[in-house]
Amino acid sequence: MTETTPQLSVPAARTEVEALLSVLERNRRTFAWKTSGLDENGLCARTAASAMTLGGLIKHVALVEADWLAVKLAGQEYGAPWDAVDFDADPDWEWRTGSLDAPEDLYRTWRDAVERSRELVAEVAGKRGLDGPASFTWPDGRTPTVRDMLLDMIEEYARHTGHADILREAVDGRVGEGAPESFTI
C-alpha cells in the first residue's frame, strides 16, 4: 500500500504558541498515520539489525508524552500505566512490551497520553507562557522553558517518525511524507 501525499504546510498561526502546537500536531498526526491500522504481526515486525518495532515506538512515544509534558513540563505524576513500572529493573519496558500489547490497547495508550498532554500544555502555556519555566531542573541547575519542552517534543516525534517510516515500509510498503487529508487520529 503506497500513499504519497505531499507534506501539508504549517498553517499560518497568530502566535508562537499556536505555531509550535501546529507543528507538534502535524508531527503527531504523521506518526499516527505511519503506525496506524496494524495487527499484532505488523506491530512486532523488525527490519535490519534493530530490535525496534512499531509497537515499541508507539509505546515509547506515549511514555515520552507523559515524561516530558506531564511530569517535566507540568509537574504531574506519570499516571497509568507508567507508575506501575520499575524502569530501574526493566529500562526498556515500553520497547519490549509494545510488541506484546494488543493493538487496540497500544493505540489507546498513545491516544490517552496525547490527549492528556494537549490539556496540560494548554494549561501550562496559558499560565507560564513560552518563556516560563518547566517543572524540573537539570542536574547542572538549568531549568528549561515551556518553549524548550515543546521543541524537544517536536524533535522526538520527528526522529521517531523517521524510524516508523522505515519500519512501516518494510511491513506493507506504506510510504509518504504526510497523512492523507482523510486520515484522522
Side-chain angles (χ1 to χ4, degrees):
M1 164 177 172
T2 301
E3 295 190 36
T4 54
T5 301
Q7 186 67 28
L8 299 175
S9 63
V10 177
R14 293 184 308 266
T15 68
E16 185 181 1
V17 170
E18 290 170 337
L20 288 170
L21 294 178
S22 176
V23 172
L24 178 56
E25 287 301 326
R26 183 178 43 134
N27 276 274
R28 282 176 174 150
R29 186 171 184 273
T30 301
F31 180 82
W33 175 65
K34 291 288 180 179
T35 60
S36 69
L38 293 169
D39 62 12
E40 291 87 355
N41 291 332
L43 291 168
C44 293
R46 297 169 195 238
T47 187
S50 176
M52 187 180 292
T53 65
L54 287 166
L57 272 172
I58 293 167
K59 203 163 190 179
H60 172 72
V61 173
L63 172 59
V64 173
E65 289 270 1
D67 185 43
W68 280 92
L69 299 180
V71 175
K72 291 178 175 145
L73 176 67
Q76 302 288 314
E77 296 296 322
Y78 278 92
W82 323 113
D83 54 3
V85 178
D86 181 354
F87 284 102
D88 290 331
D90 192 356
D92 293 328
W93 179 83
E94 79 275 19
W95 292 100
R96 182 180 55 75
T97 62
S99 295
L100 305 173
D101 293 350
E104 59 274 7
D105 294 339
L106 190 58
Y107 291 126
R108 183 176 40 256
T109 297
W110 178 77
R111 283 191 307 270
D112 290 350
V114 168
E115 186 55 38
R116 181 180 183 208
S117 290
R118 286 178 178 139
E119 292 170 10
L120 291 171
V121 166
E123 180 182 328
V124 170
K127 287 180 180 175
R128 301 180 200 169
L130 289 175
D131 292 323
S135 295
F136 85 106
T137 301
W138 293 110
D140 66 4
R142 293 177 301 125
T143 300
T145 65
V146 172
R147 180 185 295 103
D148 294 332
M149 300 301 291
L150 291 174
L151 289 168
D152 283 348
M153 198 69 212
I154 290 166
E155 187 270 336
E156 185 79 12
Y157 270 102
R159 177 177 57 251
H160 289 314
T161 298
H163 296 132
D165 198 30
I166 293 166
L167 289 164
R168 184 60 185 253
E169 184 175 5
V171 169
D172 64 5
R174 179 181 283 182
V175 296
E177 290 184 31
E181 288 187 37
S182 61
F183 177 78
T184 56
I185 296 177

